[in-house]
Amino acid sequence: MILEIDNLVKHYGQVRAVDGLSLSIGQGEVLGLVGESGSGKSTVGKCVLRLTEPTSGGIRLDGRDITHLSRRAMRPLRRDVHMVFQDPYSSLNPRFTIEQIVGEPLLHHGIASRREAGGRVAAMLEQVGLRPEMRSRFPHELSGGQRQRVGLARALILEPKLVVADEPVSALDVSVQASVLNLITDLQREMGFSCLFITHDLSVVEFLADRVAVMYLGKIVESGPTAQIFAEPRHPYTQALLSAAPVADPVRQRERRRIVLGGDVPSPVDPPAGCRFHTRCPLAYDACRTSEPALTDPRTSGHPVACHLVTADHVPDAAVNR
Amino acid sequence: MADALAVPVTTGRADRRRRLWRRFRRRPMPMAGLVLVAGFLLLALLGPLLTGDPSAQDYTATLAPPSGAHPLGTDDLGRDALARIAHGAQVSLQAGVLSTLLAMVIGIPIGLVAGFYRRWLDPVVMRLVDVTLAFPFLVFAVGLAAIIGPSLKGVVLALGFSQLPAVIRITRGEVLAIREMDYVAAAIADGATDRHILLRYVLPNCSSPLIVQATVAIPAAIIGESTLSFLGLGVQPPTPSWGVMLTTAQQYLDVAPWLAIWPGLMIALATLGFNLLGDGLRDVLDPRSGR
Ligand SMILES: Nc1ncnc2c1ncn2[C@@H]1O[C@H](COP(=O)(O)OP(=O)(O)OP(=O)(O)O)[C@@H](O)[C@H]1O
Ligand code: SF4
Ligand SMILES: [Mg+2]
């Protein structure tokens, strides 16, 4: 396993941003981490990069426990993991040229001399589809899509084992989202890095992720192979997310029923007792308000769900049982 | 790939400096500022050599208007205004520039570190800043003069320390905002050391308000010098400074207005020069301001 997260907890004061989350990513595997805004996705990413220190739990990167490593001790391990940020505007130093930005990781890990670095950077820029003359430009001279390619080049130049991509296309114009997404897919196949791909939009990971994990209020409610999640979502929340996502096939689009979730996501300061989803779940019943369902897989191994209604011989349908 | 490897690196230090200078040279206002400031530096360096003794008194001509013998006139003691302006440039520019430099050199690192290591250092530093602010400036200046004697050195130290809290606050405030930017997180992920992040990411991105602060502080310190000297805490008579000249001239405004005009003009032009230069510096250092 490249990444193993075990019962991760991250609280910001009263805010329980991540509240007991486990997941793992194998060599060359892409895991889509999906959830609404505020569910704690970015916090998971920041913990993996050790941009913040977890409150408790464990994080192993390529077998090495990094949960509480100091900044200094963490530094050499940063060859193996990098991140693509959501905001293409604030994630590039406005005072650096593109060449400087992409060359920084080489510099800090003493990989290449200044002369060699120029070549490595040029080659990397070419790989992400940026013309050579972009080297001497500044971030503000680039479009959002180009900036995100720069962010990708910076993340990949050391050929890391793991890349955390935190909503890398959600801030981009719809017209360029697909091209950046395709680029990430292609580069992942070429270079073979493992990827934690964070998104609030399930449809984004359908063709990119090997597995999908759905997050709600700091916890995973369902995870499994992408095809299974899309064909047979078991958790009412996953079903609701899927019913809201656009579908390419017009026949399927017409046939399906939309599940509209009532209300807002509850505050992570004081998450609901019992099943955290019960305040919005169309299927919620008494037990949901008091007892918290465990994340188990009574049906298929490798496809755990946290819902009382999922049993060995029953899968709930949030669109029907109201 | 072969082509790509042959591409030379374009962002060496010398290249960067040359590029900045090219950007600067193209702007008329900053160039005017540079010329003004350079002119004042020349005046301070060479002026005293070219003019006479600023303390020599000509009893036949007190409060005399500009004439052939005294191109800028004379003061109440019959001293040549031109010589005094030229010699005064040294005191005034040193008081303005050195005190501001002192505040920047000490204040910026403190502000950087306090803002960046918010949890450990910031509370201590900010408490110190509050204490400094609460301490009356003049009391400090008097104390300093008592210890090291009234002198230009004392003026520079007193004015420098009086600016320190502002410099620390401005720097720290900027750092607190910048450290939350994703590009700092990205730098950590790159494997950058704290030192590198502070010097190459945080400092450059908080330079604009600091340059503004400096362009405001230099003229303020030139005036501040006159207050201290007027109170006997700064340079001693007959040593001239623009501030001292301006203060004395007030008494003779009716009979000899030129005595106020020359030092006033010098201070105004110096203010303008440092302002234009500061604006230009800020623009040139910020790539977003266009080429
Ligand atoms: N530095 C912080 N200090 C305090 N609270 C924070 C901090 N960062 C995140 N939070 C809170 O933690 C919760 C989870 O935030 P997080 O950014 O991880 O969510 P997210 O799933 O990435 O959401 P989004 O889709 O909006 O990016 C939110 O309630 C957020 O307000
Ligand atoms: S446990 Fe209850 S509330 Fe939670 S998802 Fe299942 S049915 Fe809904
Ligand atoms: Mg986020």
Side-chain angles (χ1 to χ4, degrees):
Chain A
M1 286 291 152
I2 296 298
L3 177 69
E4 293 166 272
I5 300 180
D6 179 32
N7 201 22
L8 176 70
V9 175
K10 175 66 191 181
H11 293 175
Y12 295 107
Q14 300 279 329
V15 182
R16 298 151 163 261
V18 177
D19 215 11
L21 172 144
S22 305
L23 59 79
S24 59
I25 301 181
Q27 178 104 44
E29 187 181 34
V30 179
L31 175 74
L33 185 62
V34 185
E36 280 167 292
S37 182
S39 55
K41 310 179 296 292
S42 294
T43 305
V44 174
K46 282 184 195 150
C47 287
V48 171
L49 267 286
R50 278 308 314 278
L51 298 173
T52 187
E53 185 166 3
T55 306
S56 68
I59 299 176
R60 297 176 79 80
L61 183 64
D62 201 17
R64 176 137 186 214
D65 186 351
I66 61 165
T67 321
H68 299 290
L69 282 190
S70 69
R71 277 275 268 283
R72 185 185 293 269
M74 188 64 205
R75 207 174 298 134
L77 305 187
R78 296 191 179 282
R79 273 191 79 156
D80 293 333
V81 56
H82 212 304
M83 179 156 176
V84 181
F85 293 83
Q86 175 171 8
D87 182 357
Y89 292 90
S90 79
S91 57
L92 306 181
N93 183 354
R95 311 249 166 175
F96 274 4
T97 61
I98 302 311
E99 179 170 53
Q100 284 177 298
I101 292 171
V102 177
E104 280 274 284
L106 295 173
L107 186 73
H108 298 309
H109 294 279
I111 305 287
S113 69
R114 215 169 238 293
R115 185 160 289 281
E116 295 162 354
R120 287 276 296 261
V121 169
M124 192 67 234
L125 289 181
E126 191 183 319
Q127 262 192 294
V128 297
L130 289 172
R131 280 171 286 121
E133 62 264 31
M134 291 292 169
R135 287 179 313 142
S136 52
R137 300 271 168 87
F138 286 94
H140 75 274
E141 299 172 284
L142 272 55
S143 69
Q146 289 173 324
R147 283 163 158 258
Q148 219 47 333
R149 287 168 193 261
V150 172
L152 204 54
R154 166 179 63 195
L156 295 179
I157 194 156
L158 293 179
E159 301 181 3
K161 293 179 176 140
L162 174 69
V163 173
V164 174
D166 188 359
E167 311 219 31
V169 300
S170 68
L172 302 179
D173 282 351
V174 180
S175 55
V176 297
Q177 283 189 358
S179 64
V180 173
L181 217 48
N182 287 338
L183 174 66
I184 296 175
T185 312
D186 292 347
L187 288 170
Q188 195 276 328
R189 300 221 166 110
E190 257 167 60
M191 302 175 70
F193 51 84
S194 307
C195 182
L196 176 63
F197 193 100
I198 295 170
T199 172
H200 64 269
D201 180 359
L202 247 177
S203 63
V204 164
V205 289
E206 183 167 6
F207 303 104
L208 175 62
D210 301 303
R211 282 190 302 131
V212 169
V214 180
M215 217 179 149
Y216 188 79
L217 276 182
K219 293 198 160 191
I220 288 178
V221 295
E222 175 167 11
S223 76
T226 307
Q228 258 184 53
I229 296 281
F230 276 79
E232 198 199 340
R234 293 175 188 171
H235 196 283
Y237 180 59
T238 314
Q239 293 173 0
L241 284 182
L242 262 178
S243 85
V247 176
D249 181 352
V251 180
R252 255 176 75 205
Q253 173 78 27
R254 231 173 298 122
E255 277 176 352
R256 74 208 184 116
R257 298 141 303 176
R258 188 85 201 255
I259 307 164
V260 180
L261 293 179
D264 291 329
V265 185
S267 159
V269 172
D270 186 20
C275 174
R276 294 189 170 202
F277 186 53
H278 85 248
T279 55
R280 299 168 78 202
C281 179
L283 306 179
Y285 63 107
D286 290 345
C288 304
R289 283 174 262 280
T290 50
S291 102
E292 181 160 8
L295 186 65
T296 53
D297 37 8
R299 295 175 63 83
T300 341
S301 80
H303 186 160
V305 187
C307 172
H308 292 309
L309 292 180
V310 177
T311 58
D313 48 26
H314 178 74
V315 172
D317 184 348
V320 176
N321 306 14
R322 311 209 131 243
Chain B
M1 270 301 278
D3 278 354
L5 289 171
V7 183
V9 182
T10 57
T11 43
R13 254 162 216 251
D15 277 323
R16 188 176 129 82
R17 230 171 282 141
R18 221 172 299 133
R19 196 178 56 225
L20 290 181
W21 172 237
R22 218 182 307 123
R23 278 159 62 82
F24 190 92
R25 215 174 36 191
R26 242 176 260 161
R27 294 155 203 255
M29 295 314 257
M31 274 311 279
L34 185 64
V35 168
L36 268 174
V37 169
F40 278 117
L41 292 182
L42 274 181
L43 176 68
L45 285 174
L46 303 179
L49 305 176
L50 302 176
T51 57
D53 179 359
S55 309
Q57 300 182 355
D58 181 350
Y59 295 109
T60 62
T62 55
L63 295 176
S67 67
H70 304 289
L72 301 184
T74 62
D75 67 3
D76 51 319
L77 298 176
R79 298 178 297 197
D80 182 48
L82 178 61
R84 292 183 69 72
I85 286 285
H87 284 81
Q90 283 190 339
V91 172
S92 292
L93 290 179
Q94 283 190 61
V97 174
L98 292 185
S99 66
T100 302
L101 216 55
L102 179 71
M104 296 281 162
V105 165
I106 299 177
I108 291 174
I110 295 179
L112 277 180
V113 170
F116 199 69
Y117 299 104
R118 193 175 38 178
R119 220 175 306 163
W120 309 308
L121 279 174
D122 194 43
V124 182
V125 170
M126 289 326 282
R127 198 66 64 244
L128 282 175
V129 165
D130 287 339
V131 170
T132 317
L133 276 181
F135 201 75
F137 164 62
L138 279 178
V139 173
F140 178 69
V142 169
L144 206 60
I147 297 168
I148 66 172
S151 63
L152 179 59
K153 208 197 299 168
V155 168
V156 168
L157 285 177
L159 291 173
F161 276 101
S162 76
Q163 291 181 41
L164 204 50
V167 173
I168 293 176
R169 286 217 156 159
I170 292 170
T171 312
R172 165 187 177 268
E174 289 294 306
V175 175
L176 287 182
I178 291 167
R179 73 198 294 277
E180 300 303 325
M181 302 297 281
D182 280 347
Y183 59 74
V184 171
I188 296 172
D190 285 343
T193 59
D194 286 2
R195 191 186 132 89
H196 181 86
I197 293 173
L198 276 170
L199 294 181
R200 303 287 278 131
Y201 287 73
V202 180
L203 180 59
N205 282 293
C206 61
S207 62
S208 293
L210 286 170
I211 292 172
V212 172
Q213 162 70 14
T215 61
V216 174
I218 290 174
I222 291 178
I223 303 284
E225 180 273 326
S226 69
T227 311
L228 294 181
S229 295
F230 182 74
L231 294 173
L233 304 171
V235 295
Q236 297 297 294
T239 311
S241 81
W242 297 342
V244 169
M245 290 173 72
L246 193 60
T247 314
T248 337
Q250 282 171 13
Q251 305 163 44
Y252 307 104
L253 219 48
D254 295 336
V255 286
W258 56 88
L259 283 183
I261 289 175
W262 306 132
L265 195 64
M266 289 294 128
I267 295 174
L269 284 178
T271 308
L272 182 69
F274 282 112
N275 259 300
L276 293 178
L277 183 64
D279 278 1
L281 219 54
R282 197 169 42 141
D283 275 4
V284 163
L285 288 176
D286 186 348
R288 284 163 296 190
S289 66
R291 313 225 116 185

